[in-house]
């Protein structure tokens, strides 16, 4: 089978909150010496559709990817999807649901700012916010600062936006997993020990999460991750083995937004040293 | 500058979460920019919480600045660093809680420290040595070993700062020392002796795996060589020969086994102050017991009151009755013989200790040392072995 030297299966482009366009992602993948990579934008597959025609046989191999933000009664999750058909209605319906939820949330925030604090923005600025694929608190915060409603983006978030009670629907982990599977893809739990990115989930909590997600159809865990210590990698590796899951490796590269280098996944050694769960994943995908 | 290398200290404050991790990262990097690979110290004294977003920032900074350590982490923050494996990949130093012993009852005193009750459930052992972190680690390790080997004791669960010294904190619920029981409830005298002897037999019946505890014989050989400078030659030589002839023994001994170090907690008897734990022949233990109950008060019979709370008569009676219980005999000749052999080592130890604490510089100290020396030389004339 074909072997690989440097891989990175988790990164973001301007389609979500990265600073590289999909084309620049490909260029950087080549410059970073990757021979296998996946683009995993938040809640969207457009970046992959853009990169696929640019992939050349003598360049790095590419896997379609996505990172869905999910939530259920037990908490928040990021679910990665790999190797899906980007034209499949199964995955596109999850993307659409996510987009509608985000737009609903944006409207609820703008209404809340007007109702609670009397802050209003021009139609042009509101349209601009709606044109952003994933408009969050930082985008609104920047606008508030521009209008002089807040001293800084952080002030806007801490003292205004975080005080608004915005109720919103969520994509559930089950919907995301089923959407990925229905499009022929493999669902993988992103940075498992860090939950949706800002939690710490270990031991029994991790076990409970996995039990449930595996029931929904989860097939893999991101065992190697730029933000993990060796101890966390070992812990995630043991969980993946216990549940018979594929293993993946990702940096969570965001361009110049975060200071993670592309290819910095915590994975060391050569292909032969990599755990079977990772080699099996690559065998199936690449 | 540390070892000639530039050191940059960066404070971490409040709560670090995904809301402010990115700005913290920018702030840290801008402080470090333009410096040539400095040592970085993250001062966590004002850090209340760090989420995984914050951990990732530290990990990234560590990748660019490998010489990075975290200091003054609170117990809660330290737990996070420990669970996530950060303590394995960088130095993370804990902040020590400060505890005041003002107005606290002294409940025990040993060779290396004094134990105070700080509240209903907790006691703190304050070490004499101001730089006691290694001693504290040692005591914790040997206490754990003793517990694993079946000796009921208390294990410290926290290290604190007490004034300029360090202390280790133990949970000791509603406990009182045997010294206190003997002082306040004289009718429990026989019960105390029985429990004291039973614990002593348990300790001396415990075989310790090789290399886990210091060998008392090595320590005692050092006492003997010290004493050569302070005794007439034939006595110095004889003392060294007698101690040298004591065989190695791999059974446990406490090393400071007196009634202030035995605690009754509910119905359970616990032995505390474990830093002197060693392996060795029982004669070494008996020597230290004799000193606690009689030896240190031979010149000044009031001394025991300050130390144990009870009088010299109680001390003498407790010693003799314990010795009889331990040896399983009431035969006075046998008791006298074993007592004398213990006294030989006991005097050597007390004289050395007093001289090292400038005992020769005061009238009282000199008189006390003379008394012990005359007893010691009499005994050395009488015995040709310390075994019994």
């Amino acid at each position: 089978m074909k072997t690989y030297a440097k891989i990175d299966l988790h990164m973001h482009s301007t389609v979500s909150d990265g600073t590289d366009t999909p084309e620049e992602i490909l260029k950087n993948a080549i410059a970073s010496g990757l021979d296998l990579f996946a683009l995993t934008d938040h809640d969207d597959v457009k970046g992959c559709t853009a990169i696929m025609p640019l992939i050349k046989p003598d360049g790095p191999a590419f896997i379609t990817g996505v990172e869905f933000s999910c939530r259920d009664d037990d908490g928040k999750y990021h679910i990665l999807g790999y190797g899906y058909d980007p034209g499949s209605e199964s995955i596109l319906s999850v993307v659409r649901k996510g987009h509608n939820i985000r737009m609903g949330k944006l409207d609820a925030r703008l209404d809340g700012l007007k109702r609670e604090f009397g802050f209003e923005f021009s139609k042009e600025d509101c349209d601009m916010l709606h044109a952003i694929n994933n408009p969050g608190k930082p985008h609104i915060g920047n606008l508030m600062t521009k209008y002089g409603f807040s001293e800084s983006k952080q002030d806007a978030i801490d003292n205004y936006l975080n005080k608004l009670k915005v109720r919103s629907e969520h994509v559930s982990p089950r919907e995301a997993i089923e959407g990925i599977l229905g499009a022929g893809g493999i669902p993988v739990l992103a940075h498992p020990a860090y939950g949706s990115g800002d939690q710490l989930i270990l031991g029994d909590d991790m076990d409970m999460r996995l039990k449930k997600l595996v029931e929904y159809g989860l097939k893999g865990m991101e065992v190697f991750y730029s933000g993990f210590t060796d101890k966390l990698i070992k812990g995630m590796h043991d969980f993946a083995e216990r549940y018979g899951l594929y293993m993946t490796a990702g940096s969570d590269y965001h361009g110049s937004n975060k200071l993670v280098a592309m290819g910095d996944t915590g994975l060391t050694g050569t292909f032969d040293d990599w755990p079977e769960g990772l080699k099996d994943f690559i065998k199936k995908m690449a | 500058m540390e070892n000639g290398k530039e050191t940059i200290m960066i404070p971490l404050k409040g709560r670090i979460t995904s809301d402010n991790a990115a700005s913290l990262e920018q702030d840290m990097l801008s402080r470090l920019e333009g410096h040539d690979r400095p040592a970085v110290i993250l001062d966590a004294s004002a850090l209340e919480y760090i989420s995984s977003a914050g951990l990732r920032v530290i990990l990234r900074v560590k990748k660019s600045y490998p010489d990075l350590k975290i200091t003054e982490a609170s117990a809660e923050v330290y737990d996070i660093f420990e669970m996530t494996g950060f303590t394995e990949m960088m130095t993370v130093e804990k902040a020590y809680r400060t505890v005041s012993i003002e107005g606290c009852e002294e409940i025990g005193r040993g060779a290396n420290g004094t134990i105070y009750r700080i509240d209903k459930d907790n006691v703190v052992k304050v070490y004499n040595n101001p730089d006691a972190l290694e001693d504290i680690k040692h005591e914790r390790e040997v206490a754990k070993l003793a517990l694993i080997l079946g000796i009921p004791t208390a294990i410290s669960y926290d290290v604190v700062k007490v004034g300029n010294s360090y202390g280790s904190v133990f949970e000791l619920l509603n406990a009182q020392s045997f010294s206190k029981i003997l002082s306040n409830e004289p009718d429990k005298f026989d019960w105390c002796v029985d429990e004291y002897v039973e614990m002593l037999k348990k300790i001396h019946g415990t075989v310790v795996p090789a290399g886990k505890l210091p060998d008392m014989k090595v320590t005692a050989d050092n006492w003997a060589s010290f004493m050569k400078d302070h005794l007439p030659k034939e006595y110095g030589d004889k003392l060294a020969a007698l101690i040298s002839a004591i065989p190695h023994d791999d059974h446990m001994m406490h090393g400071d086994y007196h009634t202030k170090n035995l605690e009754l907690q509910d119905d359970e008897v616990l032995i505390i102050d474990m830093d002197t734990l060693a392996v060795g022949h029982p004669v070494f233990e008996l020597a230290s017991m004799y000193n606690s109950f009689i030896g240190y008060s031979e010149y000044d019979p009031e001394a025991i009151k300050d130390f144990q709370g009870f009088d010299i008569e109680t001390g003498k009676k407790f010693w003799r009755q314990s010795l009889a219980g331990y040896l399983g005999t009431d035969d006075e000749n046998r008791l006298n013989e074993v007592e004398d052999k213990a006294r030989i080592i006991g005097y050597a130890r007390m004289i050395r200790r007093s001289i090292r604490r400038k005992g020769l510089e005061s009238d009282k100290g000199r008189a006390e040392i003379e008394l012990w020396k005359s007893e010691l030389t009499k005994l050395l004339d009488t015995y040709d072995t310390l075994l019994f």
Side-chain angles (χ1 to χ4, degrees), chain A residues 194 197-199 225 229 259 264, chain B residues 18 25 51-52 56 63 84:
Chain A
Y194 289 162
D198 209 18
Q199 300 125 291
Y225 181 66
T229 60
L259 293 139
D264 176 10
Chain B
S18 57
E25 181 160 8
S51 80
S52 52
R56 277 180 283 175
K63 280 177 187 168
T84 49

Side-chain angles (χ1 to χ4, degrees), chain A residues 78 204 239:
Chain A
H78 281 186
D204 290 348
F239 269 118

Side-chain angles (χ1 to χ4, degrees), chain A residues 193-195 198-202 205 232, chain B residues 49 52 55 80 83-84:
Chain A
Y194 289 162
D198 209 18
Q199 300 125 291
L200 204 50
I201 292 160
L202 301 164
D205 295 338
L232 290 176
Chain B
Y49 171 79
S52 52
L55 294 176
I80 297 174
M83 273 192 303
T84 49

Side-chain angles (χ1 to χ4, degrees), chain A residues 68-87:
Chain A
F68 285 120
S69 306
C70 313
R71 190 172 191 162
D72 66 9
D73 292 344
D74 300 326
K76 295 176 174 181
Y77 318 75
H78 281 186
I79 307 277
L80 295 158
Y82 291 108
Y84 55 81
D85 166 10

Side-chain angles (χ1 to χ4, degrees), chain A residues 154 157-158 162 191 194 197-200 202 225-232 252 257-260 264, chain B residues 17-20 23 25-26 29 49 51-53 55-56 59-60 63 80 82-86 88-89:
Chain A
Q154 202 58 46
I157 292 174
D158 291 346
N162 281 349
H191 35 70
Y194 289 162
D198 209 18
Q199 300 125 291
L200 204 50
L202 301 164
Y225 181 66
S226 58
F228 282 173
T229 60
D230 290 348
K231 181 173 178 165
L232 290 176
D252 215 349
N257 275 0
K258 291 183 188 174
L259 293 139
V260 183
D264 176 10
Chain B
T17 65
S18 57
D19 284 341
N20 58 1
S23 55
E25 181 160 8
Q26 296 300 341
L29 293 174
Y49 171 79
S51 80
S52 52
L55 294 176
R56 277 180 283 175
L59 206 57
R60 288 199 285 272
K63 280 177 187 168
I80 297 174
E82 192 170 38
M83 273 192 303
T84 49
F86 274 70
E88 291 166 22
M89 60 182 302

